[in-house]
Amino acid sequence: MQVLELYSGIGGMHMAFKESGKPGCIKAAVEINTTANSIYKYNFPDTKLLNLNIEGLTADTINQLEVDTILMSPPCQPFTRNGKQLDMEDARSDSFQHILHLLPDLAIKNVLIENVKGFEQSEMRNLLIKTLTENSFTYQEFLLTPYQFGIPNSRLRYYCLAKKQPEKFQFETRESVMDIIPSHTNESSCFPIQDILEDDLEDCNFRLHDSTLKRRLKVLDICYRTSRKSCCFTKAYGRFMQGTGSVFTDLDEETVFETLANLGRMDPASNDYLDLAQSLNLRFFTPHEIAKLMGFPETFSFPQDISNRQKYMVLGNSINVKVVSKLIRQL
């Protein structure tokens, strides 16, 4: 595979391609976000990285790269349930439409697309399938979550694999969305959260603020060392509490449940309430821990000038490396 990585972000697709073990290389990556690009370049200094708007790409430019595979994760905001769901009317879908417009003039044989759940019901999805079909691609859509691969994190995502005919997949495709990839054995359980925790962590910078303990304690999803699940981490993690990801405590589950029950009978404005809430030792997961939950290898790292807030944002926009690597093997 000679790969063009579009919307390359911090290099999740690049990592997934390496993880897949398939022969080939990333010929070029395209991303407009300068923070993401600095992280990508830090980890893949030898890859050609184009800092430009994808709408500026032409068929000639892409063909000159001599690529036969496109891996991409277009912006999800037009389709996410927490957004306005403007679909193709959202300007952030324009670049994806542009790529589909170029596809008939490209020497592309393989395509992998990742997006949020909900994309499968969008007009943009309909345009994608129409374009693939009209250009002699066979395709298969999936809805997959890391839980299915033994990873204790919820990140349900839409995926589409496409191959240029006469090439075929080595599995039987179907029109409906598949919820498991062929030849995969569903894991009976996920590994425990303790497997991704940083050792000897000075966690004072990651402790929850007192204001959060007073006002938002009831909405937190709390993980323990023995936990085998966690919520999806979004780019708002660390800034907003509900629906952005889980938090962690080293205490056992029984102690936490008992403490929460006692807190439920107390006045949140009292000093005693805050003292007891602080005893839970709740902290955010670190960026490194989240990266490991998302399948990034130990070799992945951030430049020193990237703040934790920036790390959370780019990780929230990235992919699960392990899941995508298995899809690339099928592609």
Side-chain angles (χ1 to χ4, degrees):
M1 291 180 176
Q2 303 300 306
V3 181
L4 172 61
E5 186 182 8
L6 299 178
Y7 312 96
S8 52
I10 58 177
M13 291 287 186
H14 194 136
M15 289 289 185
F17 184 72
K18 292 179 66 175
E19 173 82 12
S20 76
K22 291 299 179 182
C25 69
I26 307 291
K27 298 291 290 288
V30 182
E31 173 62 59
I32 196 170
N33 183 288
T34 54
T35 299
N37 280 341
S38 67
I39 299 167
Y40 190 105
K41 200 65 179 176
Y42 187 74
N43 286 275
F44 309 109
D46 298 327
T47 300
K48 182 175 184 177
L49 178 60
L50 304 175
N51 181 12
L52 53 82
N53 189 325
I54 284 176
E55 292 177 65
L57 290 173
T58 66
D60 286 343
T61 301
I62 294 175
N63 287 329
Q64 286 172 11
L65 295 171
E66 298 183 335
V67 294
D68 59 21
T69 301
I70 290 179
L71 307 179
M72 60 175 159
S73 181
C76 65
Q77 295 91 338
F79 321 106
T80 182
R81 64 182 181 180
N82 294 326
K84 296 181 179 179
Q85 297 182 329
L86 295 178
D87 206 331
M88 291 177 62
E89 294 182 8
D90 192 314
R92 288 168 291 191
S93 72
D94 289 351
S95 59
F96 191 11
Q97 295 181 55
H98 177 69
I99 291 299
L100 295 182
H101 177 73
L102 296 180
L103 191 60
D105 299 318
L106 302 180
I108 296 298
K109 299 178 181 178
N110 310 294
V111 179
L112 185 153
I113 297 164
E114 185 261 13
N115 215 284
V116 292
K117 174 175 168 44
F119 179 85
E120 75 280 6
Q121 299 175 337
S122 69
E123 288 301 316
M124 188 71 237
R125 177 265 176 193
N126 294 341
L127 177 62
L128 166 65
I129 299 304
K130 181 175 182 289
T131 304
L132 292 174
T133 303
E134 290 178 348
N135 289 278
S136 302
F137 281 85
T138 184
Y139 67 90
Q140 181 61 61
E141 298 171 283
F142 300 86
L143 281 175
L144 302 170
T145 178
Y147 285 140
Q148 296 169 268
F149 303 89
I151 303 167
N153 183 237
S154 172
R155 199 174 184 84
L156 183 61
R157 289 294 184 266
Y158 168 92
Y159 301 93
C160 181
L161 302 183
K163 292 182 74 69
K164 188 82 166 183
Q165 297 175 15
E167 295 296 321
K168 298 180 180 179
F169 293 108
Q170 295 186 11
F171 60 88
E172 185 175 349
T173 60
R174 61 185 191 218
E175 290 187 9
S176 59
V177 177
M178 297 176 69
D179 61 1
I180 197 70
I181 67 172
S183 75
H184 171 70
T185 301
N186 195 14
E187 299 288 345
S188 59
S189 63
C190 298
F191 63 77
I193 286 292
Q194 65 184 8
D195 288 4
I196 58 93
L197 297 177
E198 292 192 66
D199 296 325
D200 304 320
L201 176 68
E202 291 290 339
D203 63 2
C204 57
N205 292 329
F206 298 98
R207 290 288 181 91
L208 269 62
H209 296 151
D210 290 349
S211 59
T212 299
L213 295 175
K214 287 181 177 181
R215 300 173 185 173
R216 310 297 290 170
L217 200 55
K218 292 181 180 180
V219 305
L220 298 179
D221 180 77
I222 301 174
C223 287
Y224 312 89
R225 285 189 169 271
T226 56
S227 295
R228 296 178 186 270
K229 63 178 182 178
S230 60
C231 291
C232 179
F233 293 94
T234 76
K235 65 179 183 179
Y237 188 65
R239 293 183 291 129
F240 300 102
M241 302 308 303
Q242 190 167 6
T244 63
S246 302
V247 296
F248 175 77
T249 179
D250 240 330
L251 300 179
D252 63 88
E253 195 168 353
E254 184 177 351
T255 299
V256 172
F257 279 6
E258 182 179 344
T259 302
L260 289 174
N262 291 331
L263 286 167
R265 295 187 287 269
M266 299 172 65
D267 178 6
S270 68
N271 290 331
D272 289 341
Y273 179 96
L274 182 57
D275 289 342
L276 187 57
Q278 289 173 336
S279 73
L280 291 171
N281 296 327
L282 295 172
R283 69 167 176 85
F284 293 106
F285 283 92
T286 69
H288 184 64
E289 290 168 340
I290 295 173
K292 287 197 285 185
L293 271 177
M294 296 178 67
F296 284 81
E298 289 286 351
T299 55
F300 176 80
S301 58
F302 294 95
Q304 290 187 350
D305 62 341
I306 304 297
S307 68
N308 284 330
R309 180 172 178 177
Q310 289 173 311
K311 293 175 185 177
Y312 287 138
M313 290 186 70
V314 294
L315 284 167
N317 281 332
S318 193
I319 63 166
N320 188 285
V321 171
K322 297 289 185 182
V323 176
V324 173
S325 71
K326 294 181 182 296
L327 289 167
I328 290 174
R329 291 172 196 168
Q330 297 294 330
L331 187 62

